[in-house]
Amino acid sequence: MDMVKFFHMNGGIGDASYSSNSGLQRTGIMKTKGIIEQAISDLCHARSNVNFPKTLVIADLGCSSGPNTLLVGSMVINAVTKTCLEMGLKSPDIQINLNDLPTSDFNIVFIALQEFQNNSTNDQLRDVHGQPACYFTGVPGSFFGRLFPMKSLNFVHFSYSLQWLSQLPELEEINKGNIYLSCTTPESVSRAYFEQFQTDFLGFLRCRSEEMMGGGRMVLTLAGRTTDDPRGEESYHLWRPLAMALQDMVFEGLVEEEKFDSFNLPQYTTSPTEIMNLVKTEGSFVLDPVEIFDVNWKAWKREKNDNDASEVKQLTEDYGVGHGVSKAIRAGIEPLVANHFGEAILDDVFERYGQIITATSSKETQKLVSITISLTRKM
């Protein structure tokens, strides 16, 4: 599968769009707010008054579309302005580069920019040194390759995209009955997934090491696991209901068994130990302590103007957690499912997915394990 061509979040602002169903990711971003602010503060304080840059260049990689994209930009702008005020310096210009695959809905992002630049968030940034001038640029392309000139970036942000692989690994055996790693997955399949993640993650770090200035900061958040076994429950509980739904459709003759057996998600949920080892192997960054936190599935949707993760709207009264999680998952992987099975099964399979989650919600773990790392580019 050509991931650059087929993989993207659902665009637009409709009921099935990523923009309308990205509350899980938003909650995760809000939980990392303190880490992002600290990284920006450290970045600014590391520069002397004499050498303080006139422009800070920021990259938000895998930004997708919708309110979360500009939420990160708002955090960065606020953190820069606050830190400069504490240092008694005029805020520098801020260049924010928004990156995602070419198939991402950049139009939605650009339409929202005008409102963002005029909203109350920016009003709060005005201080005695003046509001920073902010410039936004769309940068289409894969973050597994080079995107920016050498030593041009001061800060890089990355949230809930790096667990997706650049391509499906070459598998020696069939991952029978599964669409991802589980306790019944052959060892060779699990090993192939890790080797692909290792190649991708090391390549990602090498590219960013070339693009970032010495002393630059990077904050990465990934869906992950706390255990060492990649075939454990934490890695699979979100995907098991989808596999069950597809398996039911095979039994009913609605999906070919061969099609089901050949479908594997291009995702790898890593562990803190694996991340630390790979950062050390690549060698260009200093790693701060790794942060691990959970995001409850019930945070799938939020109020339109809700800026606080603690006030995320829990719409279980109207739809149930199964319906909500199904919509959130569909917004993220619908193009992958449609490309493999065809569009005709989409409504049916995701309706079944939601029903299975609702039926098992009292037994299943309802949380997404997240790992956040803060890195400093060595001088």
Side-chain angles (χ1 to χ4, degrees):
M1 179 189 297
D2 186 343
M3 293 289 288
V4 174
K5 182 178 180 181
F6 289 108
F7 186 44
H8 59 86
M9 307 294 107
N10 278 355
I13 56 174
D15 188 57
S17 69
Y18 178 80
S19 180
S20 299
N21 296 281
S22 53
L24 288 168
Q25 294 87 342
R26 180 184 179 84
T27 300
I29 292 172
M30 292 302 298
K31 287 194 173 188
T32 65
K33 181 180 179 182
I35 299 174
I36 293 172
E37 291 174 341
Q38 187 61 56
I40 292 292
S41 177
D42 291 344
L43 172 67
C44 292
H45 280 96
R47 305 288 183 178
S48 67
N49 290 7
V50 176
N51 296 322
F52 197 78
K54 295 182 179 180
T55 301
L56 284 177
V57 183
I58 313 299
D60 189 11
L61 306 182
C63 68
S64 192
S65 60
N68 294 346
T69 300
L70 302 183
L71 172 64
V72 174
S74 177
M75 285 183 182
V76 170
I77 294 167
N78 275 291
V80 169
T81 306
K82 178 182 178 182
T83 302
C84 288
L85 179 61
E86 294 171 349
M87 297 174 67
L89 299 174
K90 183 180 184 300
S91 295
D93 289 352
I94 300 176
Q95 171 71 51
I96 299 181
N97 297 286
L98 304 174
N99 156 260
D100 213 317
L101 294 175
T103 47
S104 183
D105 192 350
F106 280 98
N107 285 337
I108 294 298
V109 176
F110 295 151
I111 290 171
L113 277 177
Q114 186 62 49
E115 179 183 354
F116 170 79
Q117 291 172 328
N118 294 327
N119 67 14
S120 59
T121 301
N122 275 0
D123 290 339
Q124 296 171 3
L125 298 178
R126 294 185 175 91
D127 55 44
V128 295
H129 297 290
Q131 181 180 342
C134 303
Y135 304 91
F136 291 84
T137 303
V139 183
S142 172
F143 45 68
F144 290 118
R146 283 287 304 275
L147 293 166
F148 304 99
M150 292 281 291
K151 300 185 183 304
S152 61
L153 301 178
N154 300 106
F155 178 76
V156 174
H157 175 264
F158 201 100
S159 185
Y160 294 114
S161 296
L162 202 51
Q163 69 268 12
W164 293 105
L165 304 174
S166 65
Q167 63 184 42
L168 275 170
E170 296 288 337
L171 303 182
E172 299 175 0
E173 302 176 69
I174 295 176
N175 191 17
K176 188 71 175 177
N178 302 303
I179 62 173
Y180 184 56
L181 306 183
S182 80
C183 61
T184 61
T185 294
E187 174 62 32
S188 67
V189 174
S190 177
R191 183 170 59 252
Y193 263 87
F194 172 69
E195 289 174 353
Q196 184 63 55
F197 174 78
Q198 179 178 246
T199 298
D200 287 345
F201 193 75
L202 289 174
F204 173 86
L205 292 178
R206 292 189 192 102
C207 289
R208 304 294 84 79
S209 70
E210 294 173 358
E211 295 167 347
M212 293 177 65
M213 299 179 184
R217 262 62 174 184
M218 180 161 60
V219 174
L220 310 177
T221 299
L222 308 83
R225 65 181 195 275
T226 59
T227 59
D228 290 332
D229 186 1
R231 295 176 294 177
E233 180 66 23
E234 284 182 326
S235 297
Y236 197 61
H237 63 78
L238 194 61
W239 303 121
R240 180 189 291 112
L242 183 57
M244 292 170 65
L246 287 167
Q247 185 74 74
D248 288 344
M249 295 178 75
V250 170
F251 291 151
E252 296 172 23
L254 301 174
V255 170
E256 296 178 7
E257 185 172 9
E258 183 180 356
K259 276 283 188 181
F260 172 60
D261 288 338
S262 63
F263 181 65
N264 291 282
L265 289 169
Q267 186 194 61
Y268 184 80
T269 46
T270 188
S271 70
T273 300
E274 289 172 346
I275 288 177
M276 290 186 287
N277 289 340
L278 291 174
V279 170
K280 182 178 180 180
T281 296
E282 196 281 327
S284 299
F285 295 91
V286 176
L287 175 64
D288 288 340
V290 175
E291 301 281 342
I292 303 173
F293 60 92
D294 296 332
V295 177
N296 194 293
W297 290 1
K298 293 181 181 179
W300 66 275
K301 193 168 183 177
R302 65 178 185 85
E303 297 275 17
K304 181 178 179 181
N305 296 315
D306 184 7
N307 291 319
D308 192 326
S310 66
E311 299 175 3
V312 170
K313 180 66 173 176
Q314 313 284 315
L315 296 183
T316 54
E317 309 92 1
D318 297 328
Y319 300 109
V321 67
H323 178 85
V325 174
S326 176
K327 289 178 64 176
I329 294 300
R330 180 172 182 171
I333 69 168
E334 178 177 302
L336 297 179
V337 178
N339 178 62
H340 190 83
F341 295 100
E343 295 184 359
I345 77 162
L346 292 175
D347 290 342
D348 192 356
V349 71
F350 284 107
E351 178 65 26
R352 292 169 185 254
Y353 177 91
Q355 291 172 354
I356 292 171
I357 289 212
T358 298
T360 60
S361 61
S362 62
K363 303 176 183 178
E364 294 285 345
T365 301
Q366 296 185 24
K367 63 182 181 181
L368 175 69
V369 176
S370 301
I371 300 173
T372 295
I373 61 174
S374 183
L375 302 163
T376 303
R377 177 67 171 93
K378 294 179 180 178
M379 302 296 290

